[in-house]
Amino acid sequence: MPRLRRFVLPVLFALVASGAQVGAADGASRWAPSSTAAIHPGVQMFTGDAQCTANFVFTDDAHRVYVGYAAHCAGTGDSNDINGCTTRSLAMGTPVTFGTGAGLLTSGTTTGSGRLVYSSWHTMQARHEKSAIRCAYNDFALVRVDAASVGKVNPSMPKTGGPVGLDTDGVPVGSTLYTYGASSMKLGGNGSARTARKTATEGSGWEHVVRGGTGIPGDSGSGYLGPDGRAVGVLSTLAFGLSGTSNGVGDLSRELAYAQAHAGISGLRLVPGTVRFHTS
């Protein structure tokens, strides 16, 4: 029998009318070949009975390796609990496994392991965060890859390559974004590359609203690249409205800055991909 998983992506029912510098230790020679790496952006991540998708790879001054996903992937509320300052989450240190091929009819293969070491939701609650915007839109978490699995990691996004760095100035409305989702709700459990178009900015820059190639539950946490290959954001919400279906993509530069200030991880930074960014 296939494993039963909770496919996580907060859903909003809205009725509406309408790069940091990289040190030598982060170089390509450190990482598994992109063609054989078992842990990378777009890989499936399992936290308890919840399945999400990895966004990007990160490291720190101690050369530890982290993989990002959405904080709500470790949340214990229901799909409409999206306030990070009030919704409870699993504890730091909770085991997280990486995998591939898990789908509606297939159990998939476990490819590595790690532990939850940072959650914006946990941190905001501990700090008694007062900003309603951060509480609503800061949805980012880090899993530290276990030592036995570090050799399986490559930071490149499947299909497109990249990221080439961190986007820090936002992308304009109308921009094409590139992502890779790996929801277990699909038959066969195969990941897929998609494009989306940015239609709006919300939350004073904390969220990019996108349409087209809409992510589904299980794609939560997946990363989005901008037209130039820089890392733009993290898939957070799925919204239904009179004008159609859209996704909320949290702004990674803001979410990462918050983690850098409060996670207690010295030198936390995004790792660029070892494969050149390309769209064809």
Side-chain angles (χ1 to χ4, degrees):
M1 292 289 290
R3 294 178 290 186
L4 296 179
R5 293 287 186 185
R6 181 164 57 93
F7 310 108
V8 183
L9 191 140
V11 180
L12 304 179
F13 296 91
L15 294 179
V16 293
S18 47
Q21 287 217 324
V22 181
D26 300 334
S29 61
R30 179 184 182 188
W31 307 105
S34 62
S35 59
T36 59
I39 301 173
H40 52 76
V43 74
Q44 293 176 324
M45 298 177 72
F46 302 95
T47 311
D49 64 349
Q51 183 265 313
C52 283
T53 299
N55 49 66
F56 302 108
V57 173
F58 303 83
T59 191
D60 63 13
D61 286 344
H63 312 311
R64 292 169 291 207
V65 177
Y66 307 85
V67 174
Y69 69 165
H72 76 255
C73 294
T76 58
D78 63 32
S79 62
N80 287 310
D81 289 329
I82 60 172
N83 188 319
C85 294
T86 58
T87 306
R88 297 188 66 82
S89 301
L90 297 173
M92 294 298 97
T94 294
V96 178
T97 57
F98 303 95
T100 185
L104 291 174
L105 301 178
T106 56
S107 59
T109 302
T110 297
T111 59
S113 60
R115 292 187 178 274
L116 183 67
V117 295
Y118 169 76
S119 162
S120 60
W121 286 15
H122 262 283
T123 301
M124 291 191 297
Q125 291 176 30
R127 297 187 67 252
H128 305 289
E129 178 63 60
K130 301 301 183 184
S131 168
I133 289 176
R134 288 175 180 151
C135 291
Y137 296 110
N138 189 9
D139 187 6
F140 178 66
L142 291 167
V143 173
R144 181 178 170 183
V145 180
D146 288 341
S149 298
V150 166
K152 303 176 181 180
V153 178
N154 184 279
S156 306
M157 182 79 76
K159 304 298 184 182
T160 61
V164 302
L166 178 66
D167 182 275
T168 57
D169 54 7
V171 291
V173 169
S175 296
T176 298
L177 304 182
Y178 302 87
T179 186
Y180 190 93
S183 174
S184 296
M185 291 186 68
K186 301 172 184 175
L187 291 173
N190 295 318
S192 59
R194 298 188 302 275
T195 60
R197 182 174 60 88
K198 179 174 175 176
T199 60
T201 301
E202 294 185 349
S204 298
W206 276 83
E207 182 171 85
H208 308 274
V209 181
V210 303
R211 294 186 186 277
T214 308
I216 62 174
D219 290 336
S220 280
S222 52
Y224 280 70
L225 300 175
D228 58 0
R230 290 185 295 167
V232 170
V234 174
L235 179 60
S236 181
T237 59
L238 173 65
F240 300 98
L242 296 180
S243 59
T245 305
S246 63
N247 282 130
V249 175
D251 184 78
L252 182 60
S253 67
R254 289 171 170 79
E255 292 176 323
L256 182 58
Y258 194 91
Q260 289 167 331
H262 305 298
I265 301 174
S266 177
L268 177 64
R269 58 190 179 272
L270 174 77
V271 179
T274 63
V275 177
R276 178 184 60 85
F277 174 71
H278 59 281
T279 60
S280 60

